[in-house]
Amino acid sequence: MIIPYTTDRRADTGVTNVTMGMWLFIASEVMLFGALFSAYALLSVSAIDWPSGRQTLSLPLGAVNTIVLIQVTAIAWHARRSTAIKARRWLMTASAFALAFLGLKSLEYVHEFSAGLRPATNTFLAMYFTLTGLHALHVIAGIAANVWAIAGAARVGEAMMAGRTRALALYWVFVDIVWLIIFGLMYLL
Amino acid sequence: MNAYRMAAGVVLTGALCLGTEAVIYACPICFQIEDAHATSGIRAGVGVLMGVTGVVLVGFARFATRLIRHQ
């Protein structure tokens, strides 16, 4: 069965259908993370004593991870203006950086667990593991989407690959913005 | 039978109220205690959620305006 589709920019929406779908998906994701940030604000302001993330977590590891994730977004953003073959290479590089981000995050988790910092330790750590864990799941989903786009690049043609790369670039920008908010709230405050 | 049960309930509740010495803590939000931590926390949480919802709704409104203009 072939589902009819168009890769052209629509006159009424001003964007392609793929980009439109990605914007709607991002809107729903903003509400998901918004609810968790709201819970974080409620719990941290309500608490009489709230631990300092700067003293509890590893700021150097968090800072390096921030740089790595910004690289992922920069590479994915660059890929959207490339040809299908070049975009494939850029997406492979972005995926490698995203894997490095996950590796560093896992290392950070191991350090925290070995130091006795667990979700049950206090409310701050419960929020930290919830937010960073959910964010890491989004990074894994992004890598899976990158691999899917890379695998289909030769088959789907130039126009469709460009649409997919544009949508992926938008997604990585969103994942990066969420991380920057988490980094600011958890590691710097 | 129902009146008997109701009377027993009233007597039991009264006995519990008079017999217990526990301090009852009032909810600071329900009693509108402005300087309580819980009240500030609820304000912050609702503020963040309203801000996020507002940003998403403004995005949808802008998109709807664009669609209407291009019809």
Side-chain angles (χ1 to χ4, degrees), chain A residues 125-186:
Chain A
L125 285 170
M127 281 308 299
Y128 163 76
F129 282 108
T130 306
L131 275 167
T132 54
L134 187 66
H135 179 267
L137 282 177
H138 281 77
V139 174
I140 292 167
I143 294 168
N146 277 3
V147 170
W148 171 73
I150 292 162
R155 185 170 36 86
V156 296
E158 201 72 40
M160 201 175 214
M161 183 61 187
R164 286 180 179 183
T165 319
R166 268 198 302 271
L168 280 170
L170 269 177
Y171 177 79
W172 282 113
V173 169
F174 164 74
V175 171
D176 210 354
I177 290 169
V178 170
W179 174 256
L180 288 174
I181 296 169
I182 292 172
F183 182 70
L185 278 176
M186 302 256 163

